[in-house]
Amino acid sequence: MLRREARQRREYLYRRAQEARMCATEKKKEQLRRALEENRLLPTELRREALALQKSIEFDDEGAEGLVTHQDDEYRWAGVEDPKVMITTSRDPSSRLKMFAKEMKLVVPGAQRMNRGRHEVGALLQACKANGVTDLLVLHEHRGQPDGLIVSHLPFGPTAFFTLCNVVMRHEVPDIGTMSEAAPHLIFHGLTSRLGQRHALASALQVCSILKYLFPVPKPDSKRVITFANQDDYISFRHHGYKKLDHRNIELTEVGPRFEMKLYMIKLGTLEQAATADVEWCWHPYTNTARKRQFLSTD
């Protein structure tokens, strides 16, 4: 098992490195093509390899838009097979964090909750991989208040780190409705940047994919809706049930919980590799333009 996982990890890293080299070559070809079309001098860095690039351009043709990348490998079976999600907490959780973990288990259809106990992260990830778990959610707290969420996609990553704030649980919402166990329809609003919407050649990871593939594909008649609405890089999580009053009007009922999420880091490995994995994106708050910049939206 360990040898197979190590081999699969090496193959995955090799494909990623190979793709990076191919992207760099394609970028140079595009610069050369543009220079020839506009009849101007070649860029200095391309002059030595211009002839070799021009020969390879002759064999290029259209129709390569569907090439599989390492980013496609991460969610290759998404939408084909239902995700298998495991939810756990940090060590020695408070009663409030345990309750929040139970509510998150109800939010994600088919998820399993595991008591953390004394399990180490490495043993936890090893057990998840051996049992075909696709995503591991780890909830953290500060003085009894849930304040952190880690979403680690298995077996290769990525791992996204979120800060939670303004957490309101089901029993704290007045006139709460009953929660359906059907797969929910998902609404993503305001995630329009390259970080919010993954681009095939972009280094930023798609936050939509990380969140979307935690849920199975819903049936058309599902009466359950989960919303991820971005405003000023804070993603508001809202959970509703609805029913049709007539052909034009519907009635929404909040079923909770609700909270705000803020992404602060994405790493390319899984959770046990957090110390050595490449950081794909990280929030840097102590910069001159930190207050003005928005990373998840282009609006």
Side-chain angles (χ1 to χ4, degrees):
M1 178 68 74
L2 292 176
R3 287 183 179 179
R4 186 180 68 182
E5 287 185 5
R7 175 178 55 79
Q8 289 175 344
R9 179 70 184 169
R10 285 197 304 270
E11 290 175 354
Y12 171 71
L13 292 174
Y14 173 73
R15 287 197 301 273
R16 239 180 53 201
Q18 193 177 33
E19 181 195 342
R21 290 194 296 269
M22 289 175 62
C23 287
T25 304
E26 287 299 322
K27 194 173 181 180
K28 291 179 181 178
K29 287 181 181 179
E30 185 60 31
Q31 288 179 340
L32 179 62
R33 241 188 245 112
R34 200 173 300 154
L36 293 174
E37 288 174 0
E38 297 175 2
N39 197 20
R40 55 182 173 81
L41 289 175
L42 296 177
T44 308
E45 64 272 13
L46 295 182
R47 290 178 184 175
R48 289 188 176 181
E49 47 187 340
L51 291 176
L53 287 173
Q54 189 173 11
K55 288 181 180 178
S56 64
I57 286 176
E58 295 175 0
F59 296 97
D60 291 347
D61 57 0
E62 297 180 358
E65 294 82 7
L67 289 177
V68 176
T69 67
H70 79 274
Q71 294 175 342
D72 297 319
D73 277 349
E74 293 164 358
Y75 295 100
R76 175 179 293 179
W77 303 112
V80 178
E81 298 177 356
D82 287 346
K84 193 174 180 181
V85 180
M86 180 67 69
I87 299 174
T88 188
T89 63
S90 55
R91 286 182 175 177
D92 193 19
S94 65
S95 59
R96 185 172 173 80
L97 187 64
K98 289 179 183 177
M99 187 180 301
F100 185 58
K102 289 179 182 178
E103 294 189 3
M104 289 300 296
K105 175 184 176 295
L106 295 176
V107 167
V108 182
Q112 297 293 320
R113 185 178 65 88
M114 183 177 65
N115 293 329
R116 176 66 181 271
R118 299 194 177 192
H119 298 297
E120 295 182 354
V121 172
L124 200 62
L125 268 293
Q126 191 73 26
C128 288
K129 291 177 182 178
N131 288 279
V133 173
T134 59
D135 293 274
L136 174 66
L137 273 61
V138 183
L139 301 169
H140 291 268
E141 65 179 339
H142 178 69
R143 294 185 178 179
Q145 183 68 19
D147 73 333
L149 170 65
I150 300 174
V151 182
S152 184
H153 184 67
L154 303 177
F156 303 128
T159 300
F161 298 79
F162 296 91
T163 298
L164 302 183
C165 58
N166 302 329
V167 177
V168 179
M169 297 194 197
R170 277 176 52 81
H171 67 277
E172 298 170 342
V173 178
D175 302 325
I176 195 72
T178 57
M179 182 185 292
S180 169
E181 295 185 6
H185 297 286
L186 303 178
I187 298 175
F188 291 92
H189 176 73
L191 296 168
T192 53
S193 70
R194 280 190 167 186
L195 181 63
Q197 290 288 335
R198 181 186 214 157
H199 189 272
L201 300 178
S203 61
L205 197 67
Q206 183 185 11
V207 179
C208 283
S209 293
I210 295 173
L211 299 174
K212 176 169 62 176
Y213 294 133
L214 296 175
F215 300 89
V217 178
K219 294 183 178 179
D221 58 350
S222 175
K223 304 297 183 185
R224 188 178 171 200
V225 179
I226 289 180
T227 305
F228 296 93
N230 171 49
Q231 185 173 10
D232 296 331
D233 285 349
Y234 281 90
I235 302 173
S236 298
F237 175 90
R238 297 294 183 269
H239 185 195
H240 294 87
Y242 74 92
K243 63 179 180 180
K244 289 185 178 181
L245 301 179
D246 51 47
H247 68 285
R248 298 183 63 181
N249 299 311
I250 63 171
E251 179 182 349
L252 282 178
T253 305
E254 185 173 8
V255 293
R258 62 172 181 247
F259 51 85
E260 322 299 326
M261 310 165 60
K262 186 173 179 66
L263 177 72
Y264 67 88
M265 188 183 296
I266 296 176
K267 291 199 171 185
L268 286 176
T270 50
L271 188 55
E272 83 275 17
Q273 302 162 349
T276 57
D278 294 337
V279 177
E280 186 168 9
W281 182 84
C282 184
W283 180 54
H284 298 284
Y286 302 108
T287 55
N288 292 333
T289 59
R291 293 185 180 181
K292 303 175 185 176
R293 297 184 65 185
Q294 293 187 13
F295 297 98
L296 298 180
S297 175
T298 56
D299 298 335

